Structures are given as structure tokens and as C-alpha cells.
């Protein structure tokens, strides 16, 4: 979306209100605005791109069906993060032991680097993905929401159903564990 289009685009609250009134085009705008962020969260939590795509579809279907339950239109983004996180946590609970990441389908963080740099970056990404899978689902959700998606401790608490102190503790434990696993990459 161009800067001019962003400047004239309605905010989340306006769009959510329109969606509540049955405006499908307003919902399409919200989907386009948030599908990338929800997919990135789901794919990192689940380490499975196909499952993440399914989860994101479920997220937006659930949001469409339950939009009347949204109490504060300004909270639409946080509400989506909560739905995504909960669906991912449910999927992880149903799952057998953690799935492996397929290096053939995992995108390189930078395709324009030299081959040796690309190989190192891919190795680091694989190590991080593997390390994330060693965290508890709750720690993984909190760490991703904070470090990747930039959510506040209070927002994360609302999303995962914990208080800010518990969120800080989960993130601190996740950071320690990730730092230990990622030590060879420093």
C-alpha cells in the first residue's frame, strides 16, 4: 500500500465497526493489513508453513464469525493476535513431538548475500527455529509476540491470558534458553 493510500485508509476501529455492520470490503482491508503478521507469528510458533497457512485461514474465519464479540474496535489487532496465538497453542497441544523444519522450504532471510553468507544465515535460522521449538509453547508465544511482533507485556498478557509479571518471566526464561542454544552463533 502506498503512503498516500495509507494516509487515507480508515483505521482499524473504523473498519471493525463497518465489518460488524456486514461490510465485506472493510473486512478484506483488515485481512490484507494483518494476514502477513498473523502468518509470521503462526509459522514461527508452529515451524510448519502449511499448518500456519491453515491456522491463519481459521483466524480470519473465526474473526469474521465473532466480530460481534469484539468489545473495543480499537483492540482489533490485539484480538487477532490472541486468536492466532490460541489456535497455535491448541495445534501444538494436539501435535506429536516437535516437527522438523525442512530447509528446502524454509526461506533464506536474505537471498542477495554471497553463498557462504547465505549458508551461514540459513544455518542460524535453522538453529533459531530449532531452539524456538525447544521452548514451551507459552514461552515461545510470549517471546515471539515481544521480540518479533513488538507487543507490550500488557498486550501479550491479554493475548495469552497471563499477567505482565508472568509474561516477563516467560520471556526471561525463553531468552536464557535461546541465548544458551544460540551461543555458538555469537
Amino acid at each position: 500500500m502506498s503512503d498516500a493510500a495509507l494516509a487515507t485508509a480508515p483505521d482499524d476501529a473504523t473498519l471493525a465497526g463497518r465489518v460488524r455492520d456486514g461490510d465485506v470490503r472493510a473486512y478484506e482491508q483488515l485481512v490484507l493489513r494483518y494476514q502477513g503478521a498473523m502468518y509470521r507469528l503462526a509459522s514461527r510458533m508452529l515451524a510448519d508453513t502449511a499448518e500456519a497457512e491453515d491456522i491463519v485461514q481459521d483466524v480470519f474465519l473465526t474473526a469474521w464469525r465473532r466480530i460481534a464479540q469484539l468489545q473495543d474496535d480499537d483492540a482489533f489487532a490485539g484480538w487477532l493476535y490472541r486468536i492466532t496465538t490460541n489456535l497455535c497453542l491448541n495445534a501444538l497441544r494436539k501435535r506429536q513431538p516437535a516437527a522438523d523444519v525442512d530447509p528446502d522450504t524454509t526461506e533464506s532471510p536474505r537471498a542477495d548475500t554471497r553463498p557462504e553468507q547465505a549458508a551461514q544465515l540459513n544455518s542460524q535460522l535453522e538453529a533459531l527455529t530449532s531452539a524456538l521449538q525447544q521452548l514451551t509453547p507459552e514461552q515461545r508465544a510470549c517471546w515471539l509476540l515481544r521480540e518479533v511482533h513488538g507487543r507490550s507485556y500488557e498486550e501479550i498478557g491479554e493475548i495469552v491470558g497471563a499477567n505482565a509479571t508472568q509474561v516477563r518471566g516467560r520471556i526471561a526464561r525463553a531468552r536464557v534458553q535461546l541465548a544458551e542454544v544460540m551461543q555458538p552463533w555469537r
Side-chain angles (χ1 to χ4, degrees), residues 78-97:
W79 186 60
L80 273 185
Y81 275 106
R82 185 176 318 114
I83 294 169
T84 304
T85 301
N86 287 338
L87 288 175
C88 288
L89 290 171
N90 290 342
L92 288 169
R93 287 182 190 111
K94 292 177 187 174
R95 195 187 268 184
Q96 298 301 336

Side-chain angles (χ1 to χ4, degrees), residues 26 41 108 141 166:
L41 174 60
S108 170
Q166 291 169 317

Side-chain angles (χ1 to χ4, degrees), residues 38-49:
M38 297 308 114
Y39 174 76
R40 285 188 298 278
L41 174 60
S43 66
R44 289 286 181 228
M45 283 194 68
L46 302 170
D48 182 323
T49 56

Side-chain angles (χ1 to χ4, degrees), residues 35-105:
Q35 69 183 355
M38 297 308 114
Y39 174 76
R40 285 188 298 278
L41 174 60
S43 66
R44 289 286 181 228
M45 283 194 68
L46 302 170
D48 182 323
T49 56
E51 190 174 16
E53 289 171 0
D54 291 343
I55 291 288
V56 171
Q57 285 181 354
D58 288 346
V59 166
F60 287 105
L61 184 61
T62 300
W64 174 256
R65 289 180 178 159
R66 296 185 183 167
I67 191 73
Q69 297 173 4
L70 179 61
Q71 301 296 317
D72 179 6
D73 290 344
D74 286 322
F76 183 81
W79 186 60
L80 273 185
Y81 275 106
R82 185 176 318 114
I83 294 169
T84 304
T85 301
N86 287 338
L87 288 175
C88 288
L89 290 171
N90 290 342
L92 288 169
R93 287 182 190 111
K94 292 177 187 174
R95 195 187 268 184
Q96 298 301 336
D100 291 331
V101 174
D102 182 357
D104 294 330
T105 61

